[in-house]
């Protein structure tokens, strides 16, 4: 049976209170709402911990306040709301601003809130600080680039296998020595490339 406003189950006051308690007590996620124009209308303690604004400071402000200057100039906050409204959600990761001006890498989800008739009422936004993971990924990428530079500069042939004895890395000296391109090696086993060895 299709639910209509008349036959949809009503949310009890207790359920509404429990939901409010969940939102208020979530520590690792910032959960807040804006109206359809992107003006903040609700703010949980998780947002205050993450962004530094108290509820009284942020309610009534445009959500643009937490975007970097570059993203504000590009109207990223407007684009994400339009996309969320048209496709049902928006997810991304980007640098955001705290009240003190410091930046953090945010994992974000934006969902449109619509009436029964489809009228857009606003947006629910869920955000998490992913800065530590982003920094770790960037350090790993930098280490990988440095390792790649070192290995590619070795004059002797150098290559690495995975557990299945398939090539996962070959340096330039290896490709020159055997006359194959790097792509000919990667993913292949020694016996596939050199069946007579």
């Amino acid at each position: 049976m299709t639910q209509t406003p008349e036959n949809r189950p009503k949310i009890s006051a207790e359920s509404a209170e429990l939901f409010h308690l969940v939102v208020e007590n979530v520590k690792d996620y910032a959960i807040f709402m804006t109206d359809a124009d992107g003006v903040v209308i609700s703010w949980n303690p998780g947002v205050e911990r993450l962004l530094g604004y108290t509820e009284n400071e942020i309610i009534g402000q445009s959500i643009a306040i937490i975007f970097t200057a570059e993203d504000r100039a590009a109207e990223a906050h407007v684009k994400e709301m339009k996309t969320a409204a048209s496709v049902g959600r928006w997810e991304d990761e980007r640098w955001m601003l705290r009240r003190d001006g410091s930046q953090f890498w945010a994992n974000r989800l934006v969902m449109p809130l619509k009436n029964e008739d489809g009228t857009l009422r606003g947006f629910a936004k869920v955000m998490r600080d992913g800065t530590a993971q982003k920094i770790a990924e960037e350090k790993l990428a930098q280490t990988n680039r440095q390792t790649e530079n070192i290995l590619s500069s070795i004059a002797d042939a150098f290559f690495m296998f995975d557990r299945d004895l398939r090539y996962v890395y070959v340096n330039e000296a290896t490709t020159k020595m055997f006359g194959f391109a790097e792509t000919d090696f990667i993913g292949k086993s020694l016996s596939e490339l050199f069946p007579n060895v």
Side-chain angles (χ1 to χ4, degrees), residues 171-189:
N171 69 354
E172 189 176 343
T174 304
T175 62
K176 287 180 179 176
M177 179 182 287
F178 293 104
F180 292 126
E182 180 183 358
T183 53
D184 295 328
F185 282 96
I186 304 304
K188 302 266 179 39
S189 68

Side-chain angles (χ1 to χ4, degrees), residues 57-187:
E57 290 173 315
I58 200 71
I59 297 294
Q61 297 275 350
S62 168
I63 196 60
I65 197 170
I66 67 171
F67 282 77
T68 64
E70 297 80 16
D71 284 342
R72 282 195 302 272
E75 296 192 328
H77 60 292
V78 174
K79 291 174 186 170
E80 76 177 26
M81 289 187 296
K82 285 182 179 177
T83 303
S86 65
V87 300
R89 68 189 291 137
W90 169 270
E91 286 185 78
D92 80 351
E93 296 180 323
R94 69 175 58 232
W95 291 106
M96 304 295 287
L97 291 178
R98 291 188 174 95
R99 184 178 183 273
D100 65 6
S102 63
Q103 293 187 8
F104 68 99
W105 186 252
N107 308 104
R108 302 172 335 107
L109 170 64
V110 179
M111 297 165 290
L113 303 173
K114 297 183 178 182
N115 283 341
E116 305 290 337
D117 63 3
T119 303
L120 181 65
R121 295 280 307 276
F123 297 91
K125 303 189 179 213
V126 180
M127 192 178 337
R128 187 174 63 85
D129 185 352
T131 307
Q133 180 180 349
K134 174 72 171 170
I135 290 170
E137 287 171 359
E138 288 176 350
K139 284 182 179 176
L140 179 60
Q142 181 181 9
T143 300
N144 288 342
R145 285 191 299 273
Q146 290 170 340
T147 302
E148 176 75 27
N149 289 338
I150 291 167
L151 294 177
S152 65
S153 68
I154 295 173
D156 295 325
F158 181 87
F159 45 87
M160 292 186 292
F161 295 109
D162 64 13
R163 290 182 181 180
D164 298 322
L165 297 178
R166 295 190 177 280
Y167 288 95
V168 293
Y169 175 82
V170 294
N171 69 354
E172 189 176 343
T174 304
T175 62
K176 287 180 179 176
M177 179 182 287
F178 293 104
F180 292 126
E182 180 183 358
T183 53
D184 295 328
F185 282 96
I186 304 304

